[in-house]
């Protein structure tokens, strides 16, 4: 069955995605509004008694459970909020696999589409992931949900933000095969983004057996499609081979005709090849039909990802505010965020404050800003310096890499 009707209707609202993604520019939600916001629950079934269950309260909480034979009730695998989140459930390759299996089971849940857009917050990048195989699908998923609303850069803004928040490559991730054969992940470094996951080797909360069985079923379901007798017909093999070239998407009509003539009966893949909503849908369908590894043809058809080689730096800015107007800190944060975004260099937001006792009360003495710089650290620091100087704050503010003691000089180039 398709998405829950109530969730589908809520997703069509202009404020849903900013709230769901916890965007800084999302509409303010007062406490009484948050209490009135309905929770939405939807299932993504793969068949075989397996499903992922998403529980959403926009701007508040997103919970992901797994249903599996033998489980008395859905088991939690992760959640995301703005306080005590544990969203690192699966590497990209598992999310892509599950989206394919769900699409093959339910013709209305096309991939890339709502499932990928909603669940990519629970996927992370590790050393085995290649952005060339990933970026086009994430872009296409958000384009299908928010046509024209994702910016005009080389990649959609949602894709870039997901990359910034979920890129755990180079952070010391280590996969372990447990004694019962299940895959667990841990982190042996403090560099970069920290891992927040229930799926660690010592976890007693993650449903390892159910998750492993879900992945096995999804692999078997997609592999069975590639074993269809019609796919060994010479005309089909020839058409498939032509589609495996870098310009293979130009040969999709011929492949669709050959599949139909050979009696291939899977309606999801026939539609994906003959009438795709996006080239990425045809791409994973051809990969499935040809038995290719996930993403191999995506990289061939779409070429290098605009995010390849991208870097990001997370900085903390301590801003003394004692004696300043009450709105000083928020104004600096707003101007700095606007300047970084205009230069396509990152974002800035208030992250906390420091109070000190004074005459029987407490006085605000510092604001702490969380700053994200993308791709060009020197230019980002220069923008921060210019903004701080307009507020006469560059000489008193302190900028550091988050969690590091060394101070980054706030001076303009001479």
């Amino acid at each position: 069955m398709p998405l829950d009707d109530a969730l589908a209707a809520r997703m069509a609202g202009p404020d849903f995605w900013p709230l769901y993604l916890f965007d800084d520019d999302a509409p303010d939600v007062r406490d009484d509004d948050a209490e009135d916001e309905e929770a939405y629950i939807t299932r993504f079934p793969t068949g075989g008694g397996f499903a992922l269950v998403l529980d959403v309260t926009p701007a508040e909480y997103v919970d992901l459970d797994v249903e599996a034979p033998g489980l008395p009730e859905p088991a939690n695998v992760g959640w995301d909020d703005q306080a005590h989140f544990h969203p690192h459930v699966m590497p990209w390759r598992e999310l892509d696999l599950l989206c394919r299996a769900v699409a093959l089971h339910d013709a209305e849940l096309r991939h890339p589409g709502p499932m990928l857009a909603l669940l990519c917050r629970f996927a992370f990048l590790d050393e085995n992931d290649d952005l060339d195989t990933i970026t086009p699908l994430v872009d296409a998923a958000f384009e299908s949900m928010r046509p024209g609303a994702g910016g005009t850069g080389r990649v959609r803004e949602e894709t870039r933000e997901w990359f910034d928040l979920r890129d755990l490559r180079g952070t010391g991730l280590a996969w372990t095969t447990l004694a019962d054969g299940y895959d667990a992940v841990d982190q042996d470094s403090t560099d970069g983004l920290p891992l927040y996951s229930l799926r660690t080797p010592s976890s007693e909360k993650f449903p390892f057996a159910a998750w492993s069985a879900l992945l096995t079923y999804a692999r078997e379901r997609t592999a069975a499609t590639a074993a269809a007798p019609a796919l060994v017909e010479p005309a089909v093999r020839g058409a498939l081979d032509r589609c495996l070239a870098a310009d293979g998407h130009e040969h999709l009509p011929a492949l669709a005709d050959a599949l139909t003539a050979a009696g291939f009966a899977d309606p999801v893949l026939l539609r994906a090849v003959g009438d795709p909503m996006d080239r990425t849908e045809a791409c994973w369908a051809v990969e499935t039909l040809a038995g290719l590894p996930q993403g191999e043809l995506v990289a061939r058809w779409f070429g290098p990802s605009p995010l390849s080689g991208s870097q990001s730096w997370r900085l903390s800015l301590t801003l003394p505010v004692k004696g300043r107007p009450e709105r000083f800190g928020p104004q600096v944060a707003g101007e700095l965020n606007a300047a970084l975004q205009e230069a396509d260099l990152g974002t800035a937001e208030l992250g906390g404050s420091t109070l000190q006792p004074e005459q029987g009360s407490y006085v605000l003495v510092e604001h702490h800003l969380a700053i994200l710089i993308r791709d060009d650290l020197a230019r980002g620091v220069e923008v921060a310096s210019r903004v701080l100087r307009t507020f006469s704050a560059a000489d008193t503010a302190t900028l550091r890499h988050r969690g590091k003691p060394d101070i980054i000089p706030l001076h303009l180039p001479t």
Side-chain angles (χ1 to χ4, degrees), residues 357-381:
E358 185 175 299
Q359 298 180 349
S361 183
Y362 285 89
V363 175
L364 176 65
V365 296
E366 291 175 342
H367 270 306
H368 304 287
L369 279 64
I371 300 175
L372 172 71
I373 303 295
R374 295 169 172 168
D375 297 333
D376 193 330
L377 179 60
R379 283 187 61 217
V381 172

Side-chain angles (χ1 to χ4, degrees), residues 322-376:
K322 188 175 181 179
R324 301 276 196 173
E326 183 177 348
R327 290 293 300 166
F328 180 73
Q331 286 176 342
V332 173
E335 290 291 331
L336 180 53
N337 183 60
L340 289 171
Q341 289 199 19
E342 183 178 358
D344 195 25
L345 286 170
T347 60
E349 62 179 337
L350 285 175
S353 58
T354 300
L355 305 175
Q356 72 177 24
E358 185 175 299
Q359 298 180 349
S361 183
Y362 285 89
V363 175
L364 176 65
V365 296
E366 291 175 342
H367 270 306
H368 304 287
L369 279 64
I371 300 175
L372 172 71
I373 303 295
R374 295 169 172 168
D375 297 333
D376 193 330

Side-chain angles (χ1 to χ4, degrees), residues 28-38 57-58 60:
D28 289 333
V29 178
R30 301 190 306 271
D31 290 341
D32 54 344
D33 292 333
E35 291 175 0
D36 294 337
E37 180 70 82
E38 183 179 350
T57 302
E60 292 290 317

Side-chain angles (χ1 to χ4, degrees), residues 8-328:
R10 184 68 181 86
M11 288 168 62
D15 65 336
F16 174 82
W17 287 102
L19 291 172
Y20 180 78
L21 298 172
F22 302 154
D23 282 353
D24 295 337
D25 58 353
D28 289 333
V29 178
R30 301 190 306 271
D31 290 341
D32 54 344
D33 292 333
E35 291 175 0
D36 294 337
E37 180 70 82
E38 183 179 350
Y40 303 89
I41 299 176
T42 197
R43 297 174 69 255
F44 297 102
T46 63
F50 295 97
L52 292 176
V53 183
L54 186 70
D55 186 342
V56 178
T57 302
E60 292 290 317
Y61 194 85
V62 186
D63 186 88
L64 185 64
D65 294 347
V66 61
E67 288 181 0
L71 286 179
E73 59 185 19
N76 185 239
V77 293
W79 70 93
D80 199 10
D81 58 19
Q82 300 186 71
H84 305 293
F85 39 80
H86 274 64
H88 299 137
V89 175
M90 55 190 140
W92 163 264
R93 57 190 173 276
E94 291 183 0
L95 176 59
D96 182 34
L97 170 67
L98 293 173
C99 287
R100 295 179 185 213
V102 168
L104 289 169
H105 177 74
D106 186 338
E108 295 195 47
L109 290 173
R110 302 177 77 159
H111 175 52
M115 179 177 174
L116 182 58
L118 288 165
L119 298 193
C120 67
R121 72 189 313 148
F122 292 106
F124 57 89
L125 298 174
D126 70 9
E127 302 301 338
N128 296 312
D129 288 319
D130 179 355
L131 287 170
D132 294 353
T133 72
I134 296 170
T135 308
L137 277 79
V138 181
D139 267 354
F142 280 110
E143 178 63 25
S144 71
M145 295 292 97
R146 308 180 71 192
T152 57
R154 295 176 299 162
V155 297
R156 289 184 63 94
E157 185 64 22
E158 305 97 335
T159 304
R160 180 67 205 234
E161 289 179 358
W162 172 76
F163 169 76
D164 290 335
L165 291 171
R166 296 296 184 261
D167 184 11
L168 298 186
R169 297 172 302 166
T171 67
L173 289 190
W175 286 95
T176 301
T177 301
L178 305 179
D180 45 19
Y182 307 137
D183 292 331
V185 65
D186 212 342
Q187 193 176 46
D188 58 14
S189 172
T190 57
D191 292 335
L193 294 174
L195 175 74
Y196 293 105
S197 180
L198 295 178
R199 196 176 171 176
T200 56
S202 60
S203 174
E204 297 180 356
K205 296 181 179 180
F206 191 82
F208 285 102
W211 190 260
S212 179
L214 167 68
L215 295 176
T216 297
Y217 182 88
R219 292 188 190 99
E220 292 175 348
R221 174 68 180 84
T222 54
T225 303
L231 299 182
V232 301
E233 292 291 329
V236 173
R237 294 312 307 178
L240 265 176
D241 288 343
R242 288 188 289 275
C243 287
L244 301 186
D247 63 350
H249 53 89
E250 298 178 2
H251 303 284
L252 289 171
L255 175 59
D257 291 342
L259 288 169
T260 301
F264 183 72
D266 189 297
V268 171
L269 293 183
L270 280 175
R271 180 186 62 189
V273 170
D275 186 25
M277 61 179 181
D278 184 89
R279 190 192 302 175
T280 52
E281 183 181 27
C283 196
W284 78 260
V286 173
E287 285 181 352
T288 301
L289 292 167
L292 293 180
Q294 287 174 234
E296 181 174 315
L297 190 57
V298 177
R300 201 176 303 164
W301 277 14
F302 290 88
S305 166
L307 293 177
S308 295
S310 293
Q311 289 182 280
S312 59
W313 295 267
R314 295 178 182 275
L315 312 179
S316 61
L317 179 72
T318 301
L319 183 69
V321 296
K322 188 175 181 179
R324 301 276 196 173
E326 183 177 348
R327 290 293 300 166
F328 180 73

